[in-house]
Amino acid sequence: MTTASLTMPQGLPPLPLQSSQHSHISALMSSLQTMSATSQSACSSCDGLSRRSRHLDSLTSPASETSALLALASSNLQSTSGALKDARDKFDTVADCEPAVERLFWGAREACKEVALHAERQGRGGVLPTSMKRLVDGSSNKSGGEGTMSL
């Protein structure tokens, strides 16, 4: 058997080795160098992925915020649309009921006039309350409009 000396990377003194041991140690050192190179490559790849991830996050964060704002705006528009439909329905209801309310108003006005006329005939003038007097005089609204009714 032959002995050989091997220089260790950490500066250890050379050791006399047999050839099979020498080949195993050489294979281990070669594997260690390969693992070191692979680890450096993997670290470099991880750094690159980390940079790309931060860049992608900087691009997607504003998009996510904008998407959330658009969803909120959509919700607000749906709510506003519902409120407008309700308002339109109520307006249509008021418009549908306006002729009947006006007939009722004019009927009440005529009834008050009849009561006032009957009271005058019996000598009891001035028996109508103030609100009924305003109705007979045609100043039923607070602005004092002549014979107009405000809904």
Side-chain angles (χ1 to χ4, degrees):
M1 283 201 220
T2 61
T3 59
S5 60
L6 180 65
T7 308
M8 301 300 278
Q10 289 92 5
L12 296 175
L15 298 172
L17 300 171
Q18 295 179 355
S19 77
S20 69
Q21 290 175 337
H22 179 63
S23 64
H24 287 304
I25 289 176
S26 293
L28 287 172
M29 295 217 22
S30 174
S31 296
L32 181 61
Q33 288 174 350
T34 303
M35 284 177 55
S36 177
T38 304
S39 295
Q40 286 177 352
S41 175
C43 286
S44 176
S45 295
C46 285
D47 290 341
L49 285 172
S50 185
R51 278 192 310 276
R52 288 183 184 117
S53 174
R54 283 191 302 272
H55 181 73
L56 183 61
D57 187 48
S58 73
L59 295 175
T60 57
S61 291
S64 295
E65 292 169 4
T66 303
S67 177
L69 289 173
L70 286 172
L72 179 62
S74 173
S75 173
N76 288 342
L77 285 173
Q78 287 176 348
S79 174
T80 303
S81 175
L84 287 173
K85 285 178 183 176
D86 286 346
R88 177 64 186 223
D89 289 343
K90 289 177 183 175
F91 181 78
D92 289 344
T93 301
V94 168
D96 291 343
C97 294
E98 187 175 9
V101 171
E102 284 193 20
R103 283 193 307 271
L104 181 65
F105 171 75
W106 291 110
R109 186 174 183 188
E110 291 301 315
C112 284
K113 285 181 181 178
E114 288 293 323
V115 168
L117 183 63
H118 183 70
E120 285 291 326
R121 286 185 191 151
Q122 291 185 349
R124 295 181 296 141
V127 294
L128 291 178
T130 307
S131 61
M132 291 178 87
K133 286 181 184 175
R134 283 195 315 247
L135 185 62
V136 170
D137 294 340
S139 59
S140 65
N141 59 7
K142 295 190 184 223
S143 64
E146 187 64 31
T148 60
M149 179 183 73
S150 63
L151 292 178

